């Protein structure tokens, strides 16, 4: 083999090696691209799951807040109704008491006008007899 042939053979080996390296790099790049696609798909699935979970949590929280607000409002209404009933009962009791006092006062005045002294004494005697 002469030097020119050896030089040509060396260049051929270098080209072949460079082509092999390029092919290996291409295969490795395709593998990395596939892995990247898989990772991206998994990330999208996880992101979708997180978004779905977050929406469900937010809806659950909204519903809990709605129920709590409704319960508090119902409690306030019931308390107000109880207060109204108590005040109504007190007012009615006071009206009855005042009506009874007024009735006694009117009856007393009527009796004083219509009864003689003798009628009065007779009523007192009968009342005392009933007490004994």
């Amino acid at each position: 083999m002469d030097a020119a042939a050896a030089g040509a053979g060396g260049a051929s080996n270098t080209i072949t090696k460079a082509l092999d390296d390029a092919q290996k790099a291409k295969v490795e790049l395709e593998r990395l691209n596939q892995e990247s696609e898989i990772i991206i798909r998994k990330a999208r699935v996880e992101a979708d799951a997180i978004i779905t979970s977050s929406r469900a949590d937010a809806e659950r929280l909204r519903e809990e807040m709605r129920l709590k607000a409704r319960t508090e409002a119902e409690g306030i209404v019931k308390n107000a109704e109880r207060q109204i009933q108590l005040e109504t009962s007190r007012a009615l009791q006071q009206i009855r008491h005042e009506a009874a006092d007024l009735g006694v006062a009117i009856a007393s005045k009527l009796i004083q006008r219509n009864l003689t002294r003798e009628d009065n004494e007779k009523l007192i005697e009968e009342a005392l007899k009933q007490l004994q």
Side-chain angles (χ1 to χ4, degrees), residues 11-26:
S12 173
N13 282 342
T14 303
I15 292 172
T16 304
K17 184 169 179 354
L19 287 174
D20 284 346
D21 287 347
Q23 183 62 31
K24 286 178 185 174
K26 182 180 175 188

Side-chain angles (χ1 to χ4, degrees), residues 24-98:
K24 286 178 185 174
K26 182 180 175 188
V27 168
E28 182 65 15
L29 183 60
E30 286 177 7
R31 186 185 68 77
L32 290 173
N33 281 340
Q34 288 174 351
E35 283 183 18
S36 294
E37 284 294 323
I38 291 170
I39 290 170
I40 289 170
R41 267 189 248 127
K42 285 182 181 177
R44 283 186 181 140
V45 168
E46 287 177 16
D48 286 345
I50 290 169
I51 289 169
T52 301
S53 175
S54 296
R55 285 181 181 153
D57 289 345
E59 183 58 34
R60 191 169 38 255
L61 181 61
R62 268 194 300 271
E63 187 59 29
E64 285 175 10
M65 291 174 70
R66 234 181 264 132
L67 287 174
K68 184 178 178 184
R70 185 177 297 135
T71 301
E72 288 177 3
E74 288 172 357
I76 291 169
V77 168
K78 285 181 182 176
N79 189 35
E81 288 173 347
R82 275 195 300 273
Q83 290 297 325
I84 290 169
Q85 274 185 326
L86 283 173
E87 292 302 319
T88 303
S89 292
R90 285 183 193 143
L92 287 174
Q93 196 171 15
Q94 187 172 354
I95 289 170
R96 286 185 190 116
H97 182 69
E98 288 175 9

